[in-house]
């Protein structure tokens, strides 16, 4: 069974641009969550999608958005990039997104904003 | 901001020794999970302990949970060089859903 796949693995963007990151969950998993990891703030929850609906959102500005498609694949978009958006973005999938279930993480997308 | 604090921030031991990491959190939880991360890569789930459990084992891992003190510990016995990684605790609140609130992490270095 293939794991969680995130593309691209590395990305360099310029301030002010926008970026779209993609996450393909494990087959059959319907919940996809996104996290941002930075040296200063650590791992922070961005949002969670289940069956194409956003169920939960972290404390991030509206420049950060996401969506989930009918095949459970998810994308997150960051508009008007800032230097502080440089981070490792991690996606996690779980079968039903219930609290007592294991989350499987992808390898992440390393975004550098210059 | 993060939910939990982990202690120590960094730990250096020799192969064969035990490694203990502690995690404290702030609010009521549904469960607490431990993850491992190798050098800025993805997170690997290690173990999940529910709020009504006090101790759980998985191979060389032993996790304890004290909800009255809002703390947990992860013990890795007979450490190996391959255990070198960062370890994070993460809590899921009582409201549920898949929202992990991570601690600050402990960097473990196991020397041969």
């Amino acid at each position: 069974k293939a794991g969680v796949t995130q593309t691209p693995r590395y990305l360099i963007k310029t301030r002010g641009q926008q970026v779209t990151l993609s996450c393909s969950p494990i087959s059959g998993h319907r919940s996809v969550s996104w996290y941002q990891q930075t040296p200063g703030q650590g791992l922070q929850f961005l949002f969670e999608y289940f069956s194409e609906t956003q169920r939960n959102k972290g404390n991030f500005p509206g420049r950060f958005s996401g969506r989930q498609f009918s095949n459970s694949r998810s994308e997150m978009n960051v508009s008007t990039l800032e230097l502080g958006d440089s981070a490792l973005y991690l996606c996690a999938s779980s079968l039903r997104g219930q609290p007592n279930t294991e989350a499987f993480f992808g390898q992440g997308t390393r975004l550098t904003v210059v | 901001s993060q939910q939990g604090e982990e202690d120590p921030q960094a730990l250096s031991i020799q192969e064969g020794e035990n490694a203990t990491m502690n995690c404290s959190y702030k609010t009521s939880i549904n469960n607490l999970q431990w993850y491992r991360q190798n050098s800025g890569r993805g997170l690997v789930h290690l173990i999940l302990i529910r709020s009504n459990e006090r101790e759980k084992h998985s191979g060389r891992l032993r996790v304890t949970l004290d909800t009255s003190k809002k703390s947990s510990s992860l013990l890795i016995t007979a450490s190996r060089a391959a255990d070198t990684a960062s370890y994070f605790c993460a809590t899921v609140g009582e409201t549920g859903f898949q929202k992990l609130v991570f601690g600050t992490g402990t960097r473990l270095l196991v020397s041969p």
Side-chain angles (χ1 to χ4, degrees):
Chain A
K1 203 178 212 184
V4 178
T5 304
Q6 291 188 247
T7 56
R9 289 292 310 281
Y10 302 92
L11 207 48
I12 300 176
K13 289 286 189 178
T14 305
R15 269 183 304 174
Q17 287 186 315
Q18 75 166 17
V19 67
T20 299
L21 312 181
S22 179
C23 172
S24 293
I26 291 172
S27 178
H29 284 195
R30 294 167 64 191
S31 168
V32 174
S33 304
W34 289 88
Y35 295 84
Q36 180 198 64
Q37 185 176 26
T38 60
Q41 298 299 315
L43 281 152
Q44 296 192 86
F45 172 80
L46 280 157
F47 24 67
E48 188 242 354
Y49 288 87
F50 181 81
S51 293
E52 302 178 67
T53 300
Q54 186 183 88
R55 294 199 299 188
N56 217 334
K57 190 176 192 303
N59 189 24
F60 279 82
R63 300 185 297 106
F64 290 82
S65 63
R67 59 178 175 168
Q68 186 181 33
F69 302 95
S70 58
N71 62 357
S72 293
R73 189 177 71 85
S74 176
E75 289 181 347
M76 68 162 281
N77 184 277
V78 187
S79 62
T80 320
L81 283 165
E82 299 176 0
L83 295 179
D85 297 332
S86 295
L88 179 66
Y89 289 89
L90 293 163
C91 161
S93 78
S94 69
L95 189 58
R96 288 179 293 274
Q98 293 174 335
N100 285 313
T101 54
E102 178 182 351
F104 295 84
F105 281 80
Q107 292 299 298
T109 294
R110 170 89 46 198
L111 171 66
T112 302
V113 182
V114 297
Chain B
S1 62
Q2 286 164 307
Q3 158 81 296
E5 296 289 328
E6 290 183 61
D7 170 57
Q9 288 188 337
L11 181 60
S12 184
I13 59 175
Q14 299 290 122
E15 265 192 329
E17 295 180 337
N18 295 342
T20 300
M21 292 160 247
N22 302 295
C23 165
S24 61
Y25 57 92
K26 298 174 185 172
T27 60
S28 297
I29 62 171
N30 179 293
N31 65 74
L32 184 144
Q33 304 178 33
W34 285 89
Y35 286 83
R36 183 185 76 224
Q37 185 178 40
N38 287 87
S39 192
R41 302 185 69 185
L43 294 156
V44 175
H45 183 270
L46 297 175
I47 198 163
L48 181 155
I49 186 165
R50 302 182 187 210
S51 60
N52 60 354
E53 297 176 313
R54 292 296 166 258
E55 188 170 312
K56 206 159 183 181
H57 297 256
S58 176
R60 295 183 296 113
L61 306 179
R62 172 179 170 253
V63 168
T64 62
L65 178 65
D66 187 334
T67 53
S68 66
K69 295 181 179 178
K70 291 187 168 58
S71 67
S72 173
S73 68
L74 170 68
L75 168 67
I76 304 174
T77 59
S79 295
R80 305 166 182 167
D83 294 328
T84 294
S86 291
Y87 292 81
F88 294 90
C89 68
T91 56
V92 176
E94 289 179 323
T95 53
F97 302 136
Q98 268 289 353
K99 176 184 176 181
L100 295 164
V101 180
F102 284 90
T104 50
T106 293
R107 283 178 296 170
L108 174 65
L109 173 64
V110 183
S111 301

